[in-house]
Amino acid sequence: MVELIAPTARLHRSWLAARDDWGRGVHQDGAGLGPTDEVDSPEGFATWVSGLRDGTDESRVPEGRVPAIYWWIVEGDEVLGAISLRLRLNDFLLRAGGHIGYGVRPAARRRGVATFALGAALTEAAWRGIDPVLITCDEHNEASARTIERHGGVLEDVRDTELGRLRRYWIRTA
C-alpha cells in the first residue's frame, strides 16, 4: 500500500536506489535535496534526513528556504518519490515554486502515486489553513498537469521563470 511517511535514515539504501533511478545529480522535485547535501554515506544521509525532519522549525530552516513538511512516498520499504508542503511562500516560490513540490521516480510512474501524494498534501494544507495552494509544473509535463487538474487545479497562466516555462495552478482547500 502506498503511503506518505516522514523521512527516515532507516531507508537509506532504498532512497539511494530511487535517487539512482532518477540519475545522480538530477533534481528531484519535493525531495529537499540541495546540491551540497552529502547523502551517500550513512552519516551524511542521517544528517540530511534530520534537516528535513526539522523543516517546520523556522530557526533551523536554511537561508533562502521556507518552513516545509517533507514526506517520502513509499510502498513498504521502497521509496517511490517525495512530496513537500511549504508552509508559506517567499517571492521566488510565488513566482516559480509554489506551496507543493513532488516527484515520483521513473520506475513508479503511471500508477497513481502522484495523485495519491498530492491529495494527502492538500489535506494537510487544508488542515493548516493554507488556502488557496499554488502548484507549478513544467509547461510540457502533461502528467503533472493532469494530476494537478484532477485535484481541482485552476490554471492561472503559463510564464517564464527562473526554473523555465511553468504552468501555475491554484487549488482551493477550504
Side-chain angles (χ1 to χ4, degrees):
M1 176 174 88
V2 176
E3 61 183 327
L4 299 187
I5 65 166
T8 175
R10 178 180 65 80
L11 294 180
H12 184 210
R13 286 186 185 178
S14 180
W15 188 91
L16 288 175
R19 188 252 343 246
D20 292 347
D21 190 17
W22 283 92
R24 286 178 181 253
V26 174
H27 176 73
Q28 299 174 40
D29 289 329
L33 183 64
T36 61
D37 290 322
E38 193 286 299
V39 294
D40 288 315
S41 73
E43 298 78 18
F45 188 76
T47 298
W48 175 65
V49 165
S50 177
L52 294 179
R53 294 177 69 99
D54 289 341
T56 59
D57 182 345
E58 186 86 40
S59 69
R60 294 181 163 188
V61 174
E63 187 175 334
R65 295 203 176 189
V66 298
I69 303 169
Y70 294 92
W71 296 279
W72 289 348
I73 310 164
V74 300
E75 189 169 41
D77 283 344
E78 182 183 9
V79 176
L80 305 178
I83 189 163
S84 62
L85 171 63
R86 299 170 192 108
L87 303 181
R88 64 177 169 78
L89 300 179
N90 58 23
D91 289 340
F92 168 75
L93 293 172
L94 184 58
R95 284 190 313 275
H99 287 97
I100 295 176
Y102 61 88
V104 175
R105 68 188 285 185
R109 293 179 183 160
R110 302 187 55 81
R111 295 179 21 203
V113 172
T115 299
F116 162 77
L118 180 55
L122 288 167
T123 298
E124 180 73 17
W127 183 82
R128 291 177 174 272
I130 303 170
D131 181 57
V133 169
L134 174 64
I135 306 178
T136 67
C137 69
D138 182 85
E139 175 185 31
H140 301 294
N141 189 338
E142 297 295 330
S144 191
R146 281 192 305 274
T147 296
I148 295 165
E149 290 166 0
R150 267 191 213 105
H151 284 286
V154 176
L155 181 65
E156 176 184 38
D157 61 21
V158 178
R159 65 174 70 169
D160 293 318
T161 74
E162 300 94 320
L163 300 177
R165 194 153 173 84
L166 299 179
R167 297 180 191 211
R168 290 169 40 88
Y169 290 92
W170 291 95
I171 299 177
R172 299 296 314 209
T173 62

